[in-house]
Amino acid sequence: MNLRDQIEDVLKTVYDPEIPVNIWELGLIYEIRINDDNRVGITMTLTAPACPVAGDIVREVDEKVKAVEGVTDCDVTLTFEPAWNRDMMSEEAKLELGFM
């Protein structure tokens, strides 16, 4: 399994405590960048700008990605552009949350 796949797998273990779907399936991860030295940059969003657990989710992403073997460092950038909406969720997430 390559490094990108490992990072995607670990992101699927991070959940917003208020929603029973992981952040990957929710479509909260906008970009994963891996530099030549395996420093990882993640651009992500939240379901709402006023999310009370924003710091916890960002910290968990940072810690879990840094723990992936081969990753030298991780920088997580939180953005609200474009704003998240339900269309960004995977089909699996929509089914889980009853949006289909």
Side-chain angles (χ1 to χ4, degrees), residues 4-19:
R4 182 178 199 79
D5 291 340
Q6 292 177 62
I7 292 167
E8 288 178 13
D9 280 352
V10 81
L11 291 171
K12 291 175 184 176
T13 70
V14 179
Y15 288 78
D16 180 326
E18 298 174 338
I19 304 172

Side-chain angles (χ1 to χ4, degrees), residues 16-18 46-57 59:
D16 180 326
E18 298 174 338
L46 300 169
T47 55
C51 178
V53 293
D56 295 338
I57 294 171
R59 185 172 27 264

Side-chain angles (χ1 to χ4, degrees), residues 2-45:
N2 68 35
L3 188 58
R4 182 178 199 79
D5 291 340
Q6 292 177 62
I7 292 167
E8 288 178 13
D9 280 352
V10 81
L11 291 171
K12 291 175 184 176
T13 70
V14 179
Y15 288 78
D16 180 326
E18 298 174 338
I19 304 172
V21 177
N22 69 66
I23 63 171
W24 181 263
E25 299 298 333
L26 283 172
L28 300 182
I29 303 298
Y30 286 173
E31 182 180 26
I32 300 171
R33 298 171 310 285
I34 304 171
N35 294 345
D36 291 339
D37 64 352
N38 288 347
R39 183 180 183 112
V40 177
I42 303 225
T43 302
M44 64 175 291
T45 194

